[in-house]
Amino acid sequence: MSINSEECFDVVIVGAGFAGLYMLHRLRGLGLTARIYEQGDDVGGTWYWNRYPGARCDAESLAYSFGFSEELEQEWQWSERYSRQPEILQYAKHVAERFDLLRDIHFGCRVNSVEWNEQRRRWSVTTEQGDRVTGQYCIMATGCLSVPQLPAIEGLDSFAGNRYQASQWPHQEVTFSSQRVGIIGTGSSAIQAIPVIAESAGKLTVFQRTPNFSVPAKNNLLNRDWVNQFKSNYRAHRENHQKGIGSGFGDLDIEPLAEAREPILMDSIDSGQAEQLLQAAWTRGGAIFLGAIGDTMMNESTNQFVQKFVHDKIRTIVNDPETATSLCPGNHPIGTRRICVDIDYFETYNRANVRLLDLRKSPISKITATGVETASEFVELDTLVLATGFDAMTGALLGMDIIGQDGVQLRDAWAEGPKSYLGLSVNGFPNLFTITGPGSPSVLSNMLVSIEQHVDWITGCITYMGDNGFTSICADQSAQEQWVGHVNDVANGTLFPKGGSWYLGANVKGKPRVFMPYAAGVGPYREICDQIAEAGYRGFRFSA
Ligand code: NAP
């Protein structure tokens, strides 16, 4: 195709999840032209793909929603404290329709190459389907958990029964009734799916390699009066989510945390008070449990105290002592792997039709046509569910050819791990922005809070460039190095690196072990981004 026949846009966006949708809306507001390419057949990103039984958000509905439009936040009615996947997908569709975004989205198009043309100072974007367009800017709204990870187990493809993957669930109804079902994995996806599958399966075997910490969601139908009251004070709640100590997951509305301006540290309270705080957070429900004692993620002995609290809960809930012991995580500090938020997860192991198989005692040796063979037994299955995670944060970006200045591929620039300035921009890749990229709080935060902040920042930056006659922006090498060093220093001041989790790339063979998200919290991060913008985008180089 000749260059002249290419369609030219101000901005090309990859991905039509919440990040891509809001980005498109803001760019329209600037009067810019934009095209989104989306691999799926509809909007929603992670909520389009993750349709497994029990899929719902682990952040509260009124916090996990857009705050940019007061009309939108007032008119949309969430039905439960933690929304189910279909309702969140419905919300994404509503946003796309309400703001007339669909006409600029090309669905079913996977971007495979994004190449910077130094002469034209534009990005050429091509899709597997043969589209070729250019944009002055290219914005990656590709999500942090969008590339599924299959387990490397011998014989996986030989299984002749039904096989489902949590993150690529069929759009048709899947039933389990009277079937012998096996599920591999006990991360957030599995912990949500297991109680729901157990309700209808004849027999459910959970193949657990590493137990995970999980806290009760305490989900409920939302009370309209409570919602109205919350909505009448929405700005204050939003500000709290954006700047408070809970990383955007919700209001720390338990005594005495609600009034505390600073986190309450373990050495400022006695163990009885610490128990009370944890109990209050446990009873309240949700991921903010980790914020109940402010140094849980920093201090090994505080963390052990919190771990013991959860172990005791597991032993109280689960009737069979051996199963309870197997379910108690012991190889990582609590919170250093993503905390799970569940509805009756541990209670499910008291059902007669559910059995936990501890793979640390008896690893899987292979999968055959009829089931899973472990070191000690063969489990016959009709259905096998894989909930084995993602190539997180970098998977989607490195799955494309992203070619910057001097023909450098992003995957080469990131061979030793992702390097970016603020998680927004990469040296050598001008006019390319990553929404919730590695080096930003992203997966450690309520994603909607982080998405809105990044989109607003990018919008401000593009406006600044237009106002000042700049046509390109690039992160400075030294600013990027300093930021990467700072992200590492912050992580090393916490217990996160001890988690051996997907935060570190530890679940993907050969992936560099680098702690990818920025662990200082959404409030401090926002402040840094704002200061950099106010200082004329310190650390970036502009060209006219
Ligand atoms: P995950 O947390 O990475 O869990 C994957 C599970 O599969 C782990 O238990 C892992 O065990 C197991 N596994 C992988 N390979 C295996 C093998 N060969 N043999 C046996 N077990 C194997 O993935 P996820 O559950 O999909 O969750 C990923 C992230 O998505 C979450 O942490 C969360 O951020 C997000 N998420 C959010 C929600 C929500 O909002 N509610 C829901 C789902 C997911 P090992 O630990 O031993 O490797």
Side-chain angles (χ1 to χ4, degrees):
M1 183 183 283
S2 79
I3 276 174
N4 290 338
S5 64
E6 281 173 348
E7 279 189 90
C8 298
F9 296 92
D10 294 318
V11 187
V12 180
I13 300 169
V14 187
F18 284 122
L21 294 178
Y22 181 42
M23 192 72 247
L24 175 59
H25 174 65
R26 292 302 311 267
L27 294 170
R28 289 251 191 90
L30 298 183
L32 300 179
T33 58
R35 155 84 49 89
I36 297 186
Y37 283 112
E38 165 57 52
Q39 191 173 349
D41 289 329
D42 207 339
V43 298
T46 196
W47 300 107
Y48 171 84
W49 297 103
N50 287 271
R51 298 164 182 254
Y52 57 85
R56 67 170 79 224
C57 192
D58 60 4
E60 296 185 32
S61 310
L62 282 120
Y64 190 87
S65 55
F66 280 127
F68 69 84
S69 160
E70 288 194 33
E71 295 79 19
L72 172 67
E73 70 185 5
Q74 290 298 331
E75 76 198 9
W76 182 265
Q77 295 294 343
W78 295 107
S79 51
E80 292 177 74
R81 182 174 174 190
Y82 299 88
S83 301
R84 289 170 196 264
Q85 173 270 336
E87 193 167 67
I88 305 175
L89 187 59
Q90 207 46 50
Y91 175 72
K93 288 180 184 183
H94 172 74
V95 170
E97 282 161 18
R98 193 188 191 289
F99 297 99
D100 187 25
L101 303 175
L102 294 170
R103 63 188 156 91
D104 287 328
I105 308 175
H106 278 209
F107 292 106
C109 288
R110 187 182 181 280
V111 169
N112 55 7
S113 156
V114 173
E115 185 166 3
W116 176 248
N117 183 319
E118 187 72 34
Q119 262 183 339
R120 298 168 73 198
R121 305 196 77 66
R122 294 182 73 78
W123 286 97
S124 287
V125 178
T126 56
T127 71
E128 264 175 17
Q129 289 65 29
D131 278 33
R132 187 175 166 85
V133 298
T134 74
Q136 183 187 349
Y137 299 94
C138 183
I139 299 180
M140 294 296 169
T142 40
C144 294
L145 294 157
S146 47
V147 177
Q149 177 76 3
L150 282 177
I153 301 175
E154 187 194 326
L156 178 63
D157 289 333
S158 67
F159 184 67
N162 312 307
R163 190 179 112 184
Y164 304 109
Q165 207 174 321
S167 51
Q168 309 254 291
W169 203 259
H171 289 212
Q172 306 77 23
E173 197 193 350
V174 171
T175 55
F176 301 100
S177 83
S178 316
Q179 293 173 28
R180 296 162 300 176
V181 182
I183 181 164
I184 300 180
T186 46
S188 297
S189 303
I191 280 176
Q192 289 186 331
I194 286 164
V196 180
I197 295 175
E199 278 171 22
S200 61
K203 207 168 166 197
L204 175 64
T205 306
V206 178
F207 296 91
Q208 171 192 269
R209 191 164 64 182
T210 310
N212 263 303
F213 285 102
S214 187
V215 295
K218 303 281 179 184
N219 186 45
N220 51 255
L221 289 177
L222 285 172
N223 171 294
R224 283 298 131 219
D225 292 338
W226 180 85
V227 170
N228 290 341
Q229 206 199 347
F230 189 97
K231 286 187 171 185
S232 68
N233 203 17
Y234 227 143
R235 297 275 65 72
H237 289 298
R238 295 283 190 204
E239 184 155 341
N240 188 15
H241 302 160
Q242 290 163 355
K243 298 180 183 164
I245 52 180
S247 266
F249 280 98
D251 300 276
L252 284 165
D253 49 3
I254 52 167
E255 296 299 331
L257 285 181
E259 282 80 40
R261 298 214 148 263
E262 299 291 329
I264 296 176
L265 307 183
M266 189 71 184
D267 63 8
S268 66
I269 49 179
D270 61 34
S271 58
Q273 290 169 314
E275 284 269 349
Q276 272 176 19
L277 267 177
L278 292 173
Q279 183 56 50
W282 185 270
T283 306
R284 180 206 180 278
I288 66 164
F289 175 80
L290 283 179
I293 302 177
D295 54 343
T296 300
M297 296 310 300
M298 249 82 77
N299 183 322
E300 196 107 40
S301 69
T302 305
N303 193 288
Q304 278 164 7
F305 186 90
V306 182
Q307 286 182 51
K308 182 175 178 307
F309 179 91
V310 179
H311 288 165
D312 290 347
K313 289 287 182 199
I314 296 170
R315 290 184 201 283
T316 309
I317 298 168
V318 179
N319 296 338
D320 174 47
E322 198 184 332
T323 304
T325 299
S326 287
L327 285 166
C328 284
N331 75 338
H332 62 278
I334 186 167
T336 57
R337 292 176 173 216
R338 168 78 166 214
I339 190 106
C340 304
V341 178
D342 72 88
I343 299 176
D344 294 339
Y345 174 63
F346 294 117
E347 288 82 349
T348 298
Y349 291 97
N350 294 334
R351 295 178 67 111
N353 67 335
V354 177
R355 180 171 167 236
L356 182 76
L357 231 154
D358 190 338
L359 300 179
R360 291 168 304 175
K361 292 182 188 157
S362 178
I364 294 176
S365 41
K366 65 177 178 199
I367 294 175
T368 72
T370 52
V372 174
E373 186 179 296
T374 72
S376 58
E377 64 181 290
F378 184 75
V379 183
E380 270 194 74
L381 297 174
D382 304 303
T383 295
L384 178 62
V385 176
L386 303 173
T388 46
F390 299 87
D391 181 355
M393 300 199 76
T394 55
L397 295 169
L398 301 184
M400 290 173 267
D401 287 329
I402 301 182
I403 304 163
Q405 286 173 321
D406 304 321
V408 173
Q409 283 260 8
L410 186 65
R411 63 175 76 92
D412 292 328
W414 283 8
E416 291 161 8
K419 295 188 174 92
S420 81
Y421 186 35
L422 301 173
L424 273 162
S425 173
V426 184
N427 174 256
F429 296 80
N431 291 8
L432 181 94
F433 293 109
T434 50
I435 300 178
T436 64
S440 72
S442 60
V443 290
L444 297 182
S445 66
N446 172 347
M447 289 303 282
L448 268 262
V449 169
S450 286
I451 284 169
E452 277 198 321
Q453 186 251 334
H454 264 190
V455 169
D456 291 343
W457 192 94
I458 293 167
T459 306
C461 179
I462 291 177
T463 307
Y464 174 86
M465 288 174 65
D467 291 348
N468 289 279
F470 297 131
T471 55
S472 77
I473 177 173
C474 196
D476 196 59
Q477 172 77 27
S478 64
Q480 175 169 296
E481 274 169 21
Q482 273 179 33
W483 182 253
V484 171
H486 174 61
V487 171
N488 287 331
D489 289 346
V490 170
N492 290 332
T494 70
L495 302 173
F496 277 115
K498 294 180 188 283
S501 74
W502 57 260
Y503 293 149
L504 273 163
N507 64 330
V508 179
K509 200 171 169 212
K511 192 165 171 171
R513 298 287 184 271
V514 175
F515 189 77
M516 295 182 280
Y518 179 54
V522 291
Y525 174 76
R526 176 181 294 265
E527 231 174 276
I528 294 169
C529 290
D530 289 349
Q531 284 166 3
I532 285 171
E534 279 156 26
Y537 294 87
R538 191 177 57 230
F540 289 94
R541 274 179 288 112
F542 292 100
S543 315

